[in-house]
Coordinates of all heavy atoms in Angstrom, one line a residue:
Chain A
A245 N -62.2 -86.8 -102.6 CA -61.5 -85.6 -102.4 C -60.6 -85.1 -103.5 O -60.5 -83.9 -103.9 CB -60.7 -85.7 -101.1
Y412 N -57.6 -60.3 -99.1 CA -57.2 -61.5 -99.8 C -57.1 -62.7 -98.9 O -56.3 -62.7 -97.9 CB -55.8 -61.3 -100.5 CG -55.2 -62.5 -101.1 CD1 -55.9 -63.5 -101.7 CD2 -53.8 -62.6 -101.2 CE1 -55.3 -64.6 -102.3 CE2 -53.2 -63.7 -101.8 CZ -53.9 -64.7 -102.4 OH -53.3 -65.8 -103.0
L418 N -51.9 -71.6 -94.6 CA -50.8 -71.7 -93.8 C -49.4 -71.2 -94.4 O -48.5 -70.8 -93.7 CB -50.5 -73.2 -93.3 CG -51.3 -73.5 -92.0 CD1 -51.3 -75.0 -91.7 CD2 -50.8 -72.7 -90.9
L422 N -50.9 -67.1 -92.9 CA -50.6 -67.1 -91.5 C -49.1 -67.3 -91.2 O -48.4 -67.9 -92.1 CB -51.3 -68.1 -90.8 CG -52.9 -68.0 -90.6 CD1 -53.5 -69.3 -90.2 CD2 -53.2 -66.9 -89.8
S425 N -45.9 -69.6 -86.1 CA -45.3 -69.3 -84.8 C -45.8 -68.0 -84.2 O -45.5 -67.8 -82.9 CB -43.8 -69.4 -84.9 OG -43.4 -68.3 -85.9
R430 N -51.0 -61.3 -83.2 CA -50.0 -60.8 -84.2 C -50.4 -61.2 -85.6 O -50.2 -60.4 -86.5 CB -48.5 -61.4 -84.0 CG -47.8 -60.7 -82.7 CD -46.3 -61.0 -82.8 NE -45.6 -59.9 -82.4 CZ -44.3 -59.6 -82.6 NH1 -43.6 -60.4 -83.3 NH2 -43.8 -58.5 -82.2
Q437 N -48.8 -54.2 -89.9 CA -47.8 -54.1 -88.8 C -47.1 -52.7 -88.9 O -46.5 -52.4 -87.9 CB -46.8 -55.2 -89.0 CG -45.9 -55.1 -90.2 CD -46.5 -55.6 -91.4 OE1 -47.6 -56.2 -91.4 NE2 -45.9 -55.5 -92.5
G446 N -43.6 -46.6 -86.1 CA -42.9 -47.8 -86.2 C -42.8 -48.6 -84.9 O -42.1 -49.6 -84.8
L448 N -44.9 -50.8 -82.1 CA -46.1 -51.6 -82.0 C -46.8 -51.2 -80.8 O -46.2 -51.2 -79.7 CB -45.8 -53.1 -82.0 CG -45.2 -53.7 -83.3 CD1 -44.8 -55.1 -83.1 CD2 -46.1 -53.6 -84.5
H450 N -48.9 -52.6 -78.2 CA -49.5 -53.9 -77.8 C -50.9 -53.9 -77.3 O -51.7 -54.7 -77.6 CB -48.5 -54.5 -76.8 CG -47.2 -55.0 -77.4 ND1 -47.1 -55.8 -78.4 CD2 -46.0 -54.4 -77.1 CE1 -45.8 -55.9 -78.7 NE2 -45.2 -55.0 -78.0
E491 N -58.8 -60.0 -92.9 CA -59.1 -59.5 -94.2 C -60.3 -58.7 -94.3 O -60.4 -57.6 -94.9 CB -59.0 -60.6 -95.2 CG -57.7 -61.3 -95.3 CD -56.5 -60.3 -95.6 OE1 -56.7 -59.5 -96.5 OE2 -55.5 -60.3 -94.8
R506 N -62.2 -74.5 -97.5 CA -61.5 -75.8 -97.7 C -61.0 -76.3 -96.3 O -60.4 -75.6 -95.5 CB -60.3 -75.7 -98.6 CG -59.4 -76.8 -98.4 CD -58.7 -77.1 -99.7 NE -57.7 -76.1 -100.0 CZ -57.3 -75.9 -101.3 NH1 -57.8 -76.6 -102.3 NH2 -56.4 -75.0 -101.6
Chain B
N412 N -41.2 -55.0 -80.0 CA -42.1 -53.8 -80.0 C -41.9 -53.0 -81.3 O -42.6 -51.9 -81.3 CB -41.6 -52.9 -78.9 CG -41.8 -53.7 -77.5 OD1 -42.8 -54.2 -77.3 ND2 -40.8 -53.7 -76.7
S414 N -42.2 -52.3 -85.6 CA -42.7 -52.9 -87.0 C -41.5 -53.5 -87.6 O -41.8 -54.6 -88.2 CB -43.3 -51.7 -87.8 OG -44.3 -51.0 -87.2
Y417 N -41.0 -57.0 -86.2 CA -42.1 -57.8 -86.6 C -41.9 -58.3 -88.1 O -42.0 -59.5 -88.3 CB -43.4 -57.1 -86.6 CG -44.7 -57.7 -87.0 CD1 -45.7 -58.2 -86.1 CD2 -44.9 -58.0 -88.3 CE1 -46.8 -58.8 -86.4 CE2 -46.1 -58.7 -88.7 CZ -47.0 -59.0 -87.8 OH -48.2 -59.6 -88.1
E418 N -41.5 -57.4 -88.9 CA -41.2 -57.8 -90.3 C -40.1 -58.7 -90.5 O -40.2 -59.7 -91.2 CB -41.1 -56.5 -91.1 CG -42.4 -55.7 -91.1 CD -42.4 -54.4 -92.0 OE1 -41.2 -54.0 -92.3 OE2 -43.3 -53.8 -92.2
Q424 N -39.7 -66.4 -90.4 CA -40.6 -67.5 -90.1 C -41.3 -68.0 -91.2 O -41.7 -69.2 -91.4 CB -41.6 -67.1 -89.0 CG -41.0 -66.5 -87.7 CD -40.5 -67.7 -86.8 OE1 -41.0 -68.8 -86.9 NE2 -39.7 -67.5 -85.8
N425 N -41.8 -67.2 -92.0 CA -42.7 -67.6 -93.2 C -42.6 -66.5 -94.3 O -43.3 -65.6 -94.4 CB -44.1 -67.9 -92.7 CG -45.0 -68.4 -93.8 OD1 -44.6 -68.4 -95.0 ND2 -46.2 -68.8 -93.5
P427 N -43.3 -66.6 -97.7 CA -44.5 -66.3 -98.5 C -45.5 -65.5 -97.8 O -46.2 -64.7 -98.5 CB -45.0 -67.8 -98.8 CG -43.9 -68.7 -98.6 CD -43.0 -68.1 -97.6
A428 N -45.7 -65.7 -96.5 CA -46.6 -64.9 -95.7 C -46.2 -63.5 -95.7 O -47.0 -62.6 -95.7 CB -46.9 -65.6 -94.4
Y431 N -47.0 -61.8 -98.8 CA -48.4 -61.7 -98.9 C -48.8 -60.3 -98.0 O -49.6 -59.7 -98.5 CB -49.1 -62.9 -98.2 CG -50.5 -62.8 -97.7 CD1 -51.6 -63.1 -98.6 CD2 -50.7 -62.3 -96.5 CE1 -52.8 -63.0 -98.1 CE2 -52.0 -62.2 -96.0 CZ -53.1 -62.5 -96.8 OH -54.3 -62.4 -96.3
P552 N -60.2 -82.3 -97.4 CA -60.7 -82.9 -98.6 C -59.9 -82.8 -99.8 O -59.9 -83.5 -100.7 CB -62.1 -82.3 -98.8 CG -62.1 -81.1 -97.9 CD -61.2 -81.5 -96.8
D553 N -58.9 -81.8 -99.8 CA -58.1 -81.7 -101.0 C -56.8 -82.3 -100.8 O -55.9 -82.0 -101.6 CB -57.8 -80.1 -101.2 CG -57.1 -79.6 -100.1 OD1 -57.3 -80.0 -98.9 OD2 -56.2 -78.7 -100.3
D558 N -51.2 -79.5 -91.4 CA -50.3 -78.3 -91.6 C -50.5 -77.6 -92.8 O -49.8 -76.7 -93.2 CB -48.8 -78.7 -91.4 CG -48.6 -79.3 -90.1 OD1 -49.3 -79.0 -89.0 OD2 -47.7 -80.2 -90.0

Side-chain angles (χ1 to χ4, degrees):
Chain A
Y412 174 30
L418 270 175
L422 290 169
S425 56
R430 281 200 146 199
Q437 71 279 354
L448 296 173
H450 291 297
E491 297 302 310
R506 166 149 66 204
Chain B
N412 298 311
S414 300
Y417 179 108
E418 293 177 347
Q424 302 278 341
N425 186 346
Y431 162 93
D553 62 323
D558 300 329

